[in-house]
Amino acid sequence: MCGIVGYVGSKPAVDVVVDGLARLEYRGYDSAGVALLADGELATAKRAGKLVNLRNALAEEPPPAGSTLGMGHTRWATHGAPNDRNAHPHTGCGGTVAVIHNGIIENFAALRAELEERGHELVSDTDTEAVAHLLEEEIKDGAALPEALRRVCRRLEGAFTLVAMEAGDPDTVVGARRNSPLVVGLGEGENFLASDVSAFIAHTRNAMELGQDQVVELRRDGVTVTDFDGKPAEVKEYHVDWDVSAAEKGGYDYFMLKEIAEQPRAVADTLLGRIGTDGRLTLDEMRITDEELREVDKIIIVACGTSYHAGLIAKYAIEHWAGLPCEVELASEFRYRDPILSRTTLVIAISQSGETMDALMAVRHAREQHAKLLGICNVNGSTLPRECDGVLYTHAGPEIAVASTKAFLTQLVAVYLIALYLAQVRGTKWGDEVFAMVQLLAAMPEKVEKVLETMEPVRELARSLAGEKSVLFLGRHVGFPVALEGALKLKELAYMHAEGFAAGELKHGPIALIEEGLPVIVVVPPRARDVLHDKIVSNIQEIRARGARTIVIAEDGDTSVAPYADTLISVPAVPTLLQPLVTTVPLQVFACELATAKGHDVDQPRNLAKSVTVE
Ligand code: F6R
């Protein structure tokens, strides 16, 4: 949601903090601000809009020199318009305490009223500002900054990461987390706080996970972590297995272009070490035993957005290979329903960031009903893996563009691995059948590479459709979630009306939308699925007869669709269940190119943030 950086060390804090914010800007870009401490003075600077506005302001009016302690914030607005006044950091009345925040403080209205009654003047519309004033009071009462933060946290309701500094304590930055991400970077004579490791990866790859309801005290010479009551807390250190180049554009105009291009490697990395020399799958890191998996009698997948689409595809694979009933739920709906779960239900939560609040809440809802919990996650040290019994990491590397691409493909690989592993341990497929499918899966990086090599006509097509008002997407079977994903990419990047439909549903209503020239993209299943294939060919004819401009994605050599396709996009022939790995890529390229042609920033689409840490 918002991006947070804190720094204590010997380098100019403004540079470390602003560079860190640049790497976190994907989390929100409504405003940006910094607080710096030098010679006992706390200075803040903040500007509405993207980070470049703050950079310009700092260039015009440089902050006090010599500050080696600071913090910064990039905002995705929740409470209060995205203007200078509501930008973080927020300070108390005396300007000696500054706070930045990610999340929502649900009882802020009561706290604010209480503070105003005691004579505080609050100048912003945010929920955050109340925290600055509360801290100010605690410090006036004699508490040191870490203790003041603990006291204040005990009074807060909701989800929050807070980082604070105080003019009277020139050596310390403090942070706190509840239901919102915060990681510690451990350097030599310097330490960092950030919403994610990419903010400090240029300085250190040693990191520390913070648990729920913990307060961290960051000094040059060390880090102390306690719970909200001040009791020392147990923390886990880890080494980040990617470096700074992974979090840079590497010559591409946009992160999204780089991330699309990285997909063959991301798919290969997610398979790495999971296929034994005998072709058997080993998913030991999953931390759920084979015996427990044999007891599972129902699977429920919970996720949001693109990750939900990965879940929809998983359903087909799990039912087909593992022979288990599988439901797929939007996490935000699941948690407010009364799902029927038991100890033998396996709930799989899919989340790139591992911080999506809806997904975390769905997991907690399932935990209350004693289900087994498995996370599929891309970010080491995030909250989801800690809330689940087991985790299967995708190895996409950092995904920085707001629209998910490589994470989606690796989520597909993860769900295929889980479905095949279930088939292996439960014996629903013979060993040689699992082995054969695993070999085909292992060949997918090469197939994805082939798709990427042939994308120029797709880019041309996208540019030619930049003036359209609406695009429809159709698919059947696993092509249906691919159609949903294609539509989501186009909506979020090009701000166009786009909808995905199950092709068989068209005649039950949506076909009324078809009019002369309307572009309709159709994902065609492999010819080997003859009934399914022929059904969709009929659907293409139906819409073409009504004037649609048909853009057909079909496997190489599928000549049967050519007569009905105004544009034919060919992808390598692969088994039906694996087809989303190759059919999604042209849709990503299409949306990215069309949005760019309309002049949009595809890395930072309007109104969005990479990780949605509020409900
Ligand atoms: C769309 C997109 C979002 C995310 C969704 C879930 O391109 O990126 O729809 O997929 O917000 O995010 P995670 O996977 O981090 O839980």
Side-chain angles (χ1 to χ4, degrees), residues 310-348:
L312 290 176
I313 292 167
K315 176 181 168 72
Y316 293 86
I318 289 170
E319 287 175 352
H320 186 72
W321 288 329
L324 274 168
C326 178
E327 296 165 17
V328 191
E329 298 263 359
L330 288 166
S332 54
E333 289 297 317
F334 174 82
R335 74 158 299 205
Y336 292 107
R337 281 187 33 238
D338 303 306
I340 315 297
L341 310 179
S342 73
R343 286 175 202 282
T344 50
T345 309
L346 176 67
V347 171
I348 304 179

Side-chain angles (χ1 to χ4, degrees), residues 303-308 350-356 359 399 401-405 411 485 488-489 492 609-612:
C304 311
T306 289
S307 300
Y308 170 70
I350 308 178
S351 173
Q352 186 283 131
S353 61
E355 299 295 349
T356 300
E399 190 179 67
V402 165
S404 189
T405 54
Q411 287 168 347
E485 176 60 8
L488 176 61
K489 287 281 100 72
E492 66 182 327
K610 180 75 182 157
S611 115
V612 185

Side-chain angles (χ1 to χ4, degrees), residues 573-596:
V574 298
T576 308
L577 282 168
L578 304 188
Q579 210 197 23
L581 287 170
V582 290
T583 47
T584 305
V585 176
L587 301 183
Q588 298 168 341
V589 171
F590 177 78
C592 184
E593 186 72 18
L594 197 149
T596 314

Side-chain angles (χ1 to χ4, degrees), residues 197-343:
V197 295
S198 60
F200 53 70
I201 195 75
H203 305 278
T204 179
R205 289 167 73 180
N206 295 324
M208 184 193 272
E209 275 182 38
L210 286 183
Q212 272 296 70
D213 287 7
Q214 292 185 346
V215 164
V216 56
E217 199 176 320
L218 203 72
R219 299 171 312 276
R220 283 174 189 83
D221 59 355
V223 167
T224 309
V225 184
T226 67
D227 64 15
F228 284 176
D229 293 322
K231 288 193 208 80
E234 263 191 39
V235 280
K236 208 174 110 199
E237 289 183 26
Y238 62 100
H239 187 72
V240 182
D241 57 7
W242 46 271
D243 64 14
V244 67
S245 64
E248 285 173 350
K249 285 188 194 155
Y252 289 87
D253 288 343
Y254 291 104
F255 279 110
M256 186 174 179
L257 290 171
K258 176 178 175 237
E259 288 162 9
I260 289 173
E262 281 172 346
Q263 293 186 109
R265 188 206 46 75
V267 168
D269 285 355
T270 303
L271 289 167
L272 205 68
R274 288 166 171 167
I275 305 174
T277 42
D278 57 357
R280 283 181 73 76
L281 291 171
T282 43
L283 302 181
D284 301 342
E285 67 191 270
M286 212 159 69
R287 300 194 313 251
I288 298 181
T289 64
D290 290 357
E291 196 155 38
E292 287 169 320
L293 290 178
R294 278 192 278 271
E295 281 168 8
V296 168
D297 56 14
K298 176 161 100 172
I299 292 183
I300 300 184
I301 299 178
V302 290
C304 311
T306 289
S307 300
Y308 170 70
H309 298 155
L312 290 176
I313 292 167
K315 176 181 168 72
Y316 293 86
I318 289 170
E319 287 175 352
H320 186 72
W321 288 329
L324 274 168
C326 178
E327 296 165 17
V328 191
E329 298 263 359
L330 288 166
S332 54
E333 289 297 317
F334 174 82
R335 74 158 299 205
Y336 292 107
R337 281 187 33 238
D338 303 306
I340 315 297
L341 310 179
S342 73
R343 286 175 202 282

